[in-house]
Amino acid sequence: MNMTPQQQEVVRAKVGNMLVSAAAGSGKTSVMTERIAQRILSCELDVRRVLVMTFTEAASSNMQKKIEDRLNGALSVEEDPEQRRHIAEQLSFLPTAHISTIHSFCLDIIRNFGYDARTPDGGIAVEPGFSTIDPTRVKLIFREAVEDVLSSLYDQSYAVLETDSPEKQETVTSARDRSGKTVQPFAVTGDQIGKEQWYLDFNRMTLSLGGARDDSGLRDMIESFHSYLRSMPDYEKWIVEKLLEMKAASRDFEASRGARALMNDFRTALSLVRAVLPQLEEILPQVVFVKDKNKNKVYIDYYAAQLRVIERLAAADQAGTLAWDLAVQEAALLPDGKGASKSSKGDNPLKEEFFELYGSAMEILFYLTGKVSPKEAVKNFRTPARHLFGRSTKELGEDLSYMLPVAERLFEVLLLVDDRYSARKRAENGVDFSDYEHLALLLLSREDAGKYYREAFSEIYIDEYQDNSRIQDAIVSLFSNGNCFAVGDVKQSIYRFRHARPQLFLDRMQLYRDTDDGLLLELNRNFRSCPGILRFVNQVFSQILSHSSGEIDYDDTQM
């Protein structure tokens, strides 16, 4: 294989934590195969001690076939008897090599160490002879679990709220039957709440999130949200953290992480408009929007009032006094009315210049009012603009306080469904694919399993890293030891519906770029397309793909 200097650098890099950002058509699979093969041929790597994880079974088979072909090719020209014996031995081990999808690898962990895996309540997590439940059956079992939980809670709610039940005076605590055998209200955050109030909140939750005639909307939400939660390594902890964040935000919205992130976006937009404000203010009095002088003055006054609001906000940002409520107050001062038409016959260059610069101002106005004309202008915004400043922090805090019990009951119902669903699967001695991951994570957390896999693999390779989920990342972290080689292209991440987290790729890229925790290498030369197509694609995407629109800047490293 004739390799470019970039490819040679990847192949020859020392073992360590490494991330290869590989553009489409850059030969990443061939390069990873060549790296593994060369390390085997140089006796630096044993086939039995390498783990290669791919995204699909087809990719696993393809990877194994490429390695086999490369080793067979080396064997056919090798003359040294000792080296020939070494290559032949490695080829004999190849059929049992750990080259598979992460789910297949998780299944290997379960088969090796699952004999005494325990559930949170101490029960047996998986019995010998377990089977993988068909996806169609999985969906049916889950919906039966949802029905079990909701029907039970509806009955209990009626019994408590519509009768003189003494249970009204009882307190709901954090205690929960994790076996899934019984369905009882509990408080996931540990806050004590009266049982009567819990059921009142539960009824409000079902009305808020269900449909007008039935609760099908709620059931669909539970199913979708449960799938998302199961992509996390510790989703119950995540739930508690999010609810506590919501409670804190209801008390001090502006100090919340969400509000700070939104204000940072707004500040970025202000920094962009600040550069063109002087030009807008200078040319505005001279612009002829319409020939009628009186109407033209109305338009000039309209835009001048907008620019004064934007200028005050930009000045407050520079002075460090910009606050959410200040933006709300300034938004209320914007003039009513409608701007002038942007159409021009080419004989009004000042008007054209004004509207060309006005785009940045429109972005600020969208944050303040949620309105933009024409609507297509949103596509040209350079920040993730949205309508933020229609309500004060006090009003937003009150909204969050009102919705907090709804969110708490929703998450509690989700966890009750999760318990019931697990119980139904255990009754069939079956597991689903997300169980593969969670059982593997549980087992690797134990010293014996973690130690076994840390010692088993001297090198770990992850293909299509941009499509890893959080739980998959957590699994690898439990047995990797400064020997993880990951390759992918964040621009090709297409499996968010399967809860892939391309942000993991971006975070690792930033970490390796800024620290000595790992090595970041790039493969950005495309061998698949002709130069004309590449120039066209690069020209288009360099203009439309940015960190705000696609989580990555389409710069020279991505072309």
Side-chain angles (χ1 to χ4, degrees), residues 49-226:
R49 301 203 62 218
V50 63
L51 171 64
V52 182
M53 288 187 285
T54 63
F55 197 73
T56 66
E57 294 287 356
S60 298
S61 299
N62 182 52
M63 178 71 68
Q64 186 161 322
K65 181 68 167 55
K66 283 177 176 287
I67 294 173
E68 182 180 11
D69 290 346
R70 178 68 174 85
L71 295 182
N72 274 321
L75 181 63
S76 67
V77 298
E78 182 59 57
E79 297 180 356
D80 182 86
E82 192 65 32
Q83 181 67 358
R84 286 181 62 82
R85 278 194 296 272
H86 169 69
I87 298 173
E89 181 184 53
Q90 292 295 298
L91 279 166
S92 71
F93 294 144
L94 194 58
T96 58
H98 290 271
I99 303 174
S100 67
T101 64
I102 190 165
H103 286 116
S104 294
F105 174 65
C106 289
L107 187 57
D108 181 79
I109 297 171
I110 297 166
R111 285 172 174 159
N112 284 339
F113 291 93
Y115 51 85
D116 62 348
R118 299 285 168 174
T119 60
D121 65 334
I124 297 174
V126 58
E127 296 274 6
F130 70 89
S131 62
T132 303
I133 305 172
D134 178 82
T136 303
R137 176 68 179 152
V138 162
K139 184 167 284 194
L140 178 62
I141 294 173
F142 184 81
R143 289 177 177 175
E144 288 172 348
V146 174
E147 175 63 28
D148 290 345
V149 170
L150 289 180
S151 294
S152 180
L153 291 175
Y154 287 146
D155 292 342
Q156 293 174 42
S157 174
Y158 179 83
V160 170
L161 298 180
E162 303 301 328
T163 68
D164 294 328
S165 170
E167 289 188 53
K168 285 183 178 180
Q169 310 307 318
E170 293 180 5
T171 300
V172 174
T173 67
S174 60
R176 155 170 146 238
D177 177 12
R178 294 173 181 268
S179 71
K181 294 176 182 176
T182 61
V183 177
Q184 290 294 329
F186 74 102
V188 66
T189 60
D191 293 340
Q192 290 194 343
I193 179 175
K195 187 169 284 190
E196 180 181 22
Q197 186 60 52
W198 194 97
Y199 282 117
L200 288 170
D201 295 339
F202 168 76
N203 288 345
R204 182 153 64 90
M205 183 270 291
T206 60
L207 290 172
S208 299
L209 304 179
R213 298 183 178 180
D214 55 37
D215 62 0
S216 58
L218 172 62
R219 291 170 186 259
D220 291 343
M221 180 180 290
I222 289 172
E223 187 170 350
S224 174
F225 217 149
H226 180 265

Side-chain angles (χ1 to χ4, degrees), residues 376-402:
E376 294 74 24
V378 174
K379 298 177 182 177
N380 297 320
F381 289 169
R382 289 175 286 178
T383 66
R386 70 213 81 180
H387 183 206
L388 298 182
F389 304 110
R391 298 173 69 77
S392 68
T393 55
K394 182 175 182 295
E395 292 171 320
L396 291 168
E398 290 171 350
D399 290 346
L400 287 171
S401 292
Y402 180 76

Side-chain angles (χ1 to χ4, degrees), residues 14 119 283 286 315 331 341 406 415 443:
K14 293 181 179 179
T119 60
I283 66 174
Q286 308 166 50
S341 170
V406 170
L415 291 174
L443 294 168

Side-chain angles (χ1 to χ4, degrees), residues 242-408:
K242 290 301 176 185
L243 289 173
L244 292 177
E245 281 182 17
M246 188 175 181
K247 181 183 288 186
S250 70
R251 295 170 178 168
D252 186 354
F253 176 76
E254 193 156 18
S256 68
R257 183 168 62 176
R260 292 198 306 271
L262 294 172
M263 285 299 287
N264 284 338
D265 290 339
F266 184 54
R267 287 191 175 95
T268 300
L270 282 172
S271 69
L272 294 171
V273 76
R274 194 181 294 127
V276 300
L277 267 177
Q279 294 170 267
L280 282 167
E281 291 170 336
E282 181 182 351
I283 66 174
L284 176 60
Q286 308 166 50
V287 178
V288 177
F289 295 104
V290 291
K291 292 181 179 180
D292 185 295
K293 291 185 178 180
N294 291 329
K295 287 185 178 179
N296 196 63
K297 185 176 184 306
V298 170
Y299 284 132
I300 290 174
D301 291 345
Y302 173 78
Y303 288 118
Q306 289 183 340
L307 296 180
R308 284 194 296 271
V309 167
I310 295 172
E311 187 174 22
R312 288 195 295 269
L313 288 170
D317 181 35
Q318 282 192 307
T321 59
L322 180 65
W324 189 284
D325 286 340
L326 175 62
V328 172
Q329 294 167 13
E330 289 291 350
L333 298 177
L334 287 168
D336 294 327
K338 190 176 180 181
S341 170
K342 292 175 64 175
S343 62
S344 173
K345 297 180 179 179
D347 58 352
N348 196 339
L350 210 55
K351 179 180 178 181
E352 291 176 2
E353 181 183 357
F354 176 84
F355 279 119
E356 186 175 339
L357 297 170
Y358 184 67
S360 295
M362 289 174 66
E363 195 163 343
I364 297 298
L365 296 171
F366 189 69
Y367 275 101
L368 297 174
T369 67
K371 299 175 182 177
V372 63
S373 179
K375 292 181 179 180
E376 294 74 24
V378 174
K379 298 177 182 177
N380 297 320
F381 289 169
R382 289 175 286 178
T383 66
R386 70 213 81 180
H387 183 206
L388 298 182
F389 304 110
R391 298 173 69 77
S392 68
T393 55
K394 182 175 182 295
E395 292 171 320
L396 291 168
E398 290 171 350
D399 290 346
L400 287 171
S401 292
Y402 180 76
M403 290 305 297
L404 178 61
V406 170
E408 289 174 332

Side-chain angles (χ1 to χ4, degrees), residues 10 14 16-22 28-29 31-32 35-36 51-53 459-468 473 476 480 482-490 504-506 508-509 512 518-523:
V10 172
K14 293 181 179 179
N17 287 331
M18 192 185 316
L19 178 65
V20 179
S21 178
K28 68 177 179 64
T29 302
V31 169
M32 188 162 75
R35 174 181 170 84
I36 294 170
L51 171 64
V52 182
M53 288 187 285
E459 298 182 29
I460 300 167
Y461 292 82
I462 304 174
D463 193 19
E464 306 294 359
Y465 182 64
Q466 76 278 356
D467 290 321
N468 257 31
D473 217 43
V476 175
S480 61
N483 58 348
C484 185
F485 176 107
V487 63
D489 179 11
V490 73
L504 295 171
F505 188 104
L506 296 173
R508 185 168 293 206
M509 181 187 288
Y512 291 177
L519 177 65
L520 174 64
L521 297 175
E522 292 167 345
L523 296 175

